[in-house]
Structure formats: structure tokens, C-alpha cells
Amino acid sequence: MQRDGATVSLWQYNIPDYETKHTTLPAALFDVIIAGGGITGITTALLLQKSGKNCLLLESNTLGFGTTGGTTAHLNTLLDTPYNTIAKDFGEKNAQLVAKAAQDALNLISNNISTYNIKCEYQTQAAYLFSQNSQQDKELDEMFRATAHAGVQVSYVNEIPIPISFTKAFKAEGQGKFHPIEYLFALAKQFEEAGGTVLQHCRVTNWHDDENVTVETTLGKVEGRKLIFATHIPPGVSVLHLRCAPYRSYAIAVELNDENYPDHLTYDLYNPYHYYRTQEVMGKKYFIAGGEDHKTGHVENTEACFLKLEAYVRKYFNVKEMAFKWSSQYYEPADGLPYIGHMPGSQKGNIYAATGFSGNGMTWSHVAALVLCDMLTGVPSPYEELFSPGRIKPVAGFTAFVKENVDVAKEFVKGFFTRDKIESLSDLAHGEGKVANYEGEKIALYKDENGQLHAVSPVCRHLKCHVAWNIAEQSWDCPCHGARYNYNGKVITGPASTNLEQINIE
Ligand SMILES: Cc1cc2nc3c(=O)[nH]c(=O)nc-3n(C[C@H](O)[C@H](O)[C@H](O)COP(=O)(O)OP(=O)(O)OC[C@H]3O[C@@H](n4cnc5c(N)ncnc54)[C@H](O)[C@@H]3O)c2cc1C
């Protein structure tokens, strides 16, 4: 199956693209149109279809193409935003509500798997969190108290499942893991069998929020009563782009020489933290480690992130073979909680979005499905207000967060450029790209494996930031809001809908 990067994730191994029943846009008025065929879109679509809504799901590439194909699929109620932070910023009652929402999400996953008899290597497991110095011990204690108070079952432990020395540790019960693509494709099939329509290679490019919503796509126009953006970050320009920052995280799946594959999920307390688990795929065990996160476009040598992660893992584990390495993008919300509900600025209130999932999108996607299904079927949701994208939550550091995200470029690249000059200033190896200065203008250059140069404007089509080359995934990535383009400027994913401007090399 395809994914939005040049590396291959463990989940892509031996799995063909999903085949839909439909390949053309039906001429009908749908109750709900869902943009985005990742775990959020599919879970929401199925829940709505089963609640009696006639749904259409549109995916710009193929199902699982986005971060769902590049996740590590830990299923958690223990979240990236610690419960002590949530309690401090939103109050203790809301921290308990967050824990309850996360538990509802994990229950929905488990329910789906048993109701639809999904084979996806699902297992419930404990999650271990450990500290390695006195500063981290203090942090761990605070996290322990707040997590217990929020209602997650935790206990201190003297052992952890991985051979890394630690000073303190606790475990949280009732977490889990699965094969995200097997789960996703099984839900998509159930959605189609329930009468829902899925279209792949159909990008939503524009929309008009009137009595009904007219949705413009690369395959034509279609109408729905409601439109949900389950696109990881909504396209177009919205206040949500100022409240979410794109990050990249790295994962490797290795085979071990010994049989010491850890049974449970484990996390350290570094920033960025490392995350570990085991997964069996086609009868073979893999140890998956992740980490080395950074803001999108802020690291020049993204290949080095894999090397660092591998070196760290080799220090503690008896690695036989590096089987897979991949990276992917996630969105960090400004105040630590996801944004789920009415899209701010939607004129008639018919547009919805779900974004800002940090590294917990397996959980938040299911919270989103529950909240959106309640909202669209007129059932009061206990979580609607807490996760509302319209909430204004002034948190420490928010101004800096917004400033960093609006660091837009002023320059536009014009005219054409001579090959000689470009060659002299670019000095690129095959497969490499960089943004070069050319007579006061910036130009994004890539040299392909045959030595051919490709030039595009580095000005992102979303909000005019400058893109940066991601050598590991062979893409131009926008550091501001996470739009991503291939070497030739074609949109891969993110909030942009148009390609980077092509530049003639004469
Ligand atoms: C390396 C890494 C590891 C992670 N590990 C975990 C983990 O262990 N546990 C966890 O809970 N979370 C984890 N996460 C986060 C989690 O994977 C994501 O939050 C989740 O997959 C997001 O799912 P989604 O459906 O919202 O978005 P995506 O999976 O990105 O799906 C969005 C889809 O929308 C499509 N799309 C985009 N624009 C349009 C458009 N205009 N029209 C139509 N379609 C469009 C895209 O092609 C894409 O397929 C991890 C993230 C990373 C980067």
C-alpha cells in the first residue's frame, strides 16, 4: 500500500492498497461527507453510517496514506499531555473527563474488533513509564498522582519490560496495541457493507457552506448536509492552523537475536521521549522503537534521526537486523488537547474538524468519532465543550507558539533560471534537495537519481512559508503548518491544495 513518504513502514509490508466498490462520484445528496481516509475518517464514517446517516468518504490518495500508515499504534489512556498538565490548565474535573474520553475510545476500538471480528493482532497490555534521574523522578511522581486522580489505574513497579536502567517506574493498566492498517481496512469494508461510499484519489479542494455544503473535489462537485474534515489538519486557512504545530517522529522495527521481545508498551521521560513495543506481522516478531521527534522542517539531516534512534536502540537491545524504518508527521495542539467539533469560521455551522492529536491519534480518532457522531445525530456529548475547536484557552507560551507558526516568507520566485548558474550554486548529490539563494530569490532545487535538476518555488501554497527538504522522506515539508510536496512540487498532504509553482530551468 502507498504512504506519504519514501520510507516503508511495517504496516505497509505485504498489504495491497484498499479496493473500493465505487470509483466515480455518485450524483446524490449525502447526509455527511467525510474528507480523509485515515483512522479518524473511517471510524467516524462507520459510526455515522451505522447511526442511520448516508455517508460519503473522500480520500485524496488511498486509505491509510497519511499518518495512520506511519503510526506505531500504541493504544493509550496514558497521554502525551500528562494529566498533571491537563489538571493545571483545564481543572481536575476536566482531567477526569479526558481520561474517561480516552477510555471510551479504547472501549470503542475493542468493541469494533469483537463486533466485526477483525483480525489485527489486537492485544490489551500495560504501559510502563520510567524515570532515569532525580529530576525525572519528581516529574514521574507528579504524573503518577495526577494520572491516578484522573481515574487511570496505575501502580509503582520495580521492574520494566525493557533492559534499560531506571530509577522509578509506574505502570498503567488497560492500554493496548494493534495492526493499524488491518484494523482500518476492516472498518472501511464494514462501512461499505453498511451502505457507505468510499472514493479514493479524490481530493477536496474547496467547499461552500450554504443550506447544504457544496464540496469541490478533483473528481467533480458533490453535495452533503454536513462536511467533516478528518484530514489530520483541515485544508484551507483556519485559526486551527495557528493552534496546531506540525512535528515529525521516527520509528524503526528491528528483529532481535535473542527472544527478549518486550510484552508491554514502554516510555522514557526524555523530551522527546522514546517509545517501545513489539508487534507480530505475518508470524514474525518485530521490536518497534520510536522517538527523535522535532518540529517539521527544523532538522536538515532527517536521515541522521534514524541513525541516532538506531544507535540508541543498539545500546540496549541485541539487534539482528533493521527491518523497517519510517517517519511521519503529527500535529501538536497549543494547549495540549485535541480540537474536535465545529470548524471555527464555518458560516452555517455545517463544517466540522478533528485535529491536534499529538502522538495519541489512535485514541483521539475514536474520541472524535464518538463526539462527532453525537453532534451530528443530536445526542448531547459530555465531551463536546471540552474539545471544542472554538475554545479559547490561554496557556503559557501560546504567543510564542503562534509567532513561530506565522513565520511566513515574503519572497516570490519569478522568471527563469539558467542551468549553469543553478548547478554552480546548488552542488547537490543525487537524491538531495535544498533551498538555494539565486540573485536575491530563493529556489527549491532537487537532483534526482539520474542527475536531472528539478526546480520549484519554495513558497508554500498554504500560507507562504518556505518549505525545507526532507531527505529521509524525499519531500518538501512546510515548517509552519505541515503541507508536504514531492520533489517536483506536487502536494502530498497537509493543508495545501495546490502544487508548488514550477520554475523553468533554461
Ligand atoms: C511516527 C508516529 C508514531 C505515532 N504513534 C502513535 C501511537 O503509537 N499511538 C497513537 O495513538 N498515535 C500515534 N501517532 C499519531 C497517530 O498516528 C495520528 O494522530 C493518526 O494516525 C492521525 O489519523 P488521522 O486519520 O487523523 O490522519 P491521517 O492518517 O493523516 O489521515 C488523513 C487522510 O486525509 C487525506 N487527506 C488530506 N487532505 C485531504 C483532502 N483535502 N481531501 C481528501 N483527503 C485528504 C490524507 O491523504 C490522509 O490519508 C503517531 C504519529 C507518528 C508521526
Side-chain angles (χ1 to χ4, degrees):
M1 59 166 278
Q2 299 169 56
R3 198 175 70 79
D4 64 359
T7 57
V8 177
S9 79
L10 174 60
W11 320 119
Q12 292 173 273
Y13 176 53
N14 242 343
I15 296 218
D17 281 335
Y18 185 85
E19 280 186 32
T20 57
K21 280 189 185 169
H22 296 84
T23 50
T24 52
L25 266 184
L29 170 66
F30 288 89
D31 292 326
V32 189
I33 297 175
I34 297 117
I39 195 158
T40 308
I42 295 290
T43 311
T44 307
L46 177 60
L47 219 52
L48 281 165
Q49 189 74 28
K50 290 280 183 183
S51 309
K53 299 285 181 191
N54 184 23
C55 299
L56 167 69
L57 185 135
L58 305 173
E59 162 57 47
S60 56
N61 293 278
T62 45
L63 299 192
F65 181 82
T67 301
T68 302
T71 186
T72 50
H74 296 228
L75 310 175
N76 299 109
T77 55
L78 198 62
L79 303 166
D80 282 8
T81 306
Y83 284 102
N84 42 326
T85 307
I86 301 173
K88 180 166 69 60
D89 291 341
F90 292 85
E92 287 186 356
K93 280 233 149 50
N94 279 330
Q96 287 165 358
L97 203 57
V98 168
K100 190 171 174 306
Q103 188 57 57
D104 284 356
L106 264 49
N107 293 347
L108 176 59
I109 292 174
S110 149
N111 238 348
N112 279 341
I113 290 168
S114 57
T115 307
Y116 304 121
N117 194 19
I118 299 174
K119 308 261 174 300
C120 60
E121 310 280 349
Y122 169 68
Q123 275 178 6
T124 52
Q125 292 192 318
Y128 289 72
L129 193 65
F130 64 94
S131 52
Q132 292 173 287
N133 57 46
S134 57
Q135 175 62 37
Q136 288 187 359
D137 288 351
K138 232 177 104 206
E139 225 178 290
L140 187 102
D141 284 337
E142 281 171 20
M143 287 167 93
F144 177 86
R145 276 193 296 273
T147 308
H149 198 258
V152 179
Q153 199 191 332
V154 282
S155 55
Y156 279 109
V157 288
N158 295 321
E159 285 182 11
I160 61 171
I162 57 173
I164 297 183
S165 62
F166 65 99
T167 46
K168 271 190 158 185
F170 72 77
K171 77 169 173 176
E173 303 291 349
Q175 317 293 300
K177 65 176 191 188
F178 63 8
H179 188 307
I181 297 301
E182 287 174 352
Y183 177 76
L184 183 81
F185 284 9
L187 288 196
K189 190 159 175 283
Q190 289 299 327
F191 171 63
E192 288 196 299
E193 279 176 9
T197 308
V198 181
L199 272 191
Q200 301 184 115
H201 304 291
C202 181
R203 179 177 291 279
V204 171
T205 52
N206 207 351
W207 56 96
H208 305 279
D209 183 12
D210 220 315
E211 272 327 296
N212 293 320
V213 188
T214 306
V215 179
E216 291 176 23
T217 80
T218 43
L219 295 184
K221 282 187 188 173
V222 60
E223 286 209 23
R225 292 194 169 87
K226 308 281 178 193
L227 169 65
I228 296 174
F229 282 113
T231 46
H232 209 178
I233 189 84
V237 177
S238 145
V239 69
L240 288 177
H241 297 116
L242 299 182
R243 294 187 184 157
C244 295
Y247 279 74
R248 189 144 278 275
S249 190
Y250 295 77
I252 56 175
V254 302
E255 286 178 58
L256 300 177
N257 275 314
D258 48 38
E259 272 303 299
N260 293 336
Y261 290 89
D263 276 342
H264 297 282
L265 318 172
T266 314
Y267 313 88
D268 63 27
L269 271 182
Y270 287 108
N271 185 14
Y273 66 90
H274 296 97
Y275 42 104
Y276 306 97
R277 79 176 188 85
T278 299
Q279 176 75 43
E280 195 166 317
V281 176
M282 320 252 323
K284 214 179 205 180
K285 275 189 181 166
Y286 297 93
F287 174 58
I288 305 173
E292 298 300 328
D293 305 20
H294 61 77
K295 260 206 87 180
T296 295
H298 281 225
V299 165
E300 205 168 300
N301 186 356
T302 48
E303 272 295 349
C305 298
F306 286 120
L307 294 176
K308 275 197 228 159
L309 182 59
E310 183 183 346
Y312 193 78
V313 167
R314 281 187 187 276
K315 241 173 41 184
Y316 301 103
F317 296 88
N318 190 353
V319 175
K320 180 175 162 200
E321 198 184 317
M322 275 276 287
F324 297 89
K325 64 169 192 182
W326 69 96
S327 74
S328 195
Q329 184 162 283
Y330 64 91
Y331 285 88
E332 202 60 59
D335 61 12
L337 291 185
Y339 300 102
I340 301 164
H342 282 292
M343 178 118 136
S346 149
Q347 273 180 338
K348 301 268 177 180
N350 293 323
I351 320 280
Y352 300 75
T355 186
F357 288 174
S358 310
N360 300 120
M362 300 297 106
T363 302
W364 292 130
S365 53
H366 286 69
V367 172
L370 290 166
V371 171
L372 293 171
C373 188
D374 280 350
M375 289 178 79
L376 271 68
T377 53
V379 176
S381 164
Y383 311 122
E384 182 178 337
E385 196 184 328
L386 180 59
F387 299 127
S388 166
R391 71 177 178 263
I392 299 174
K393 189 76 210 152
V395 288
F398 182 70
T399 314
F401 184 94
V402 171
K403 247 194 191 157
E404 199 181 350
N405 272 13
V406 290
D407 182 19
V408 299
K410 302 276 185 311
E411 299 102 305
F412 280 91
V413 176
K414 293 218 168 53
F416 69 88
F417 299 82
T418 65
R419 176 172 298 278
D420 287 353
K421 273 197 180 164
I422 282 177
E423 289 276 13
S424 68
L425 61 85
S426 61
D427 190 24
L428 292 167
H430 290 194
E432 203 187 335
K434 84 170 183 191
V435 176
N437 282 309
Y438 184 98
E439 294 175 358
E441 305 250 38
K442 287 198 188 315
I443 172 167
L445 293 169
Y446 169 75
K447 191 180 269 182
D448 67 24
E449 293 304 334
N450 301 320
Q452 169 139 13
L453 269 178
H454 302 262
V456 289
S457 161
V459 180
C460 177
R461 288 304 186 98
H462 177 232
L463 280 176
K464 298 185 183 141
C465 298
H466 276 162
V467 295
W469 181 244
N470 177 346
I471 189 160
E473 300 296 354
Q474 297 280 293
S475 58
W476 293 109
D477 295 357
C478 180
C480 291
H481 310 107
R484 297 183 54 235
Y485 307 84
N486 77 358
Y487 70 94
N488 214 10
K490 183 168 180 277
V491 175
I492 300 175
T493 191
S497 296
T498 39
N499 302 336
L500 293 176
E501 197 181 331
Q502 291 289 319
I503 289 175
N504 291 325
I505 304 178
E506 294 291 318

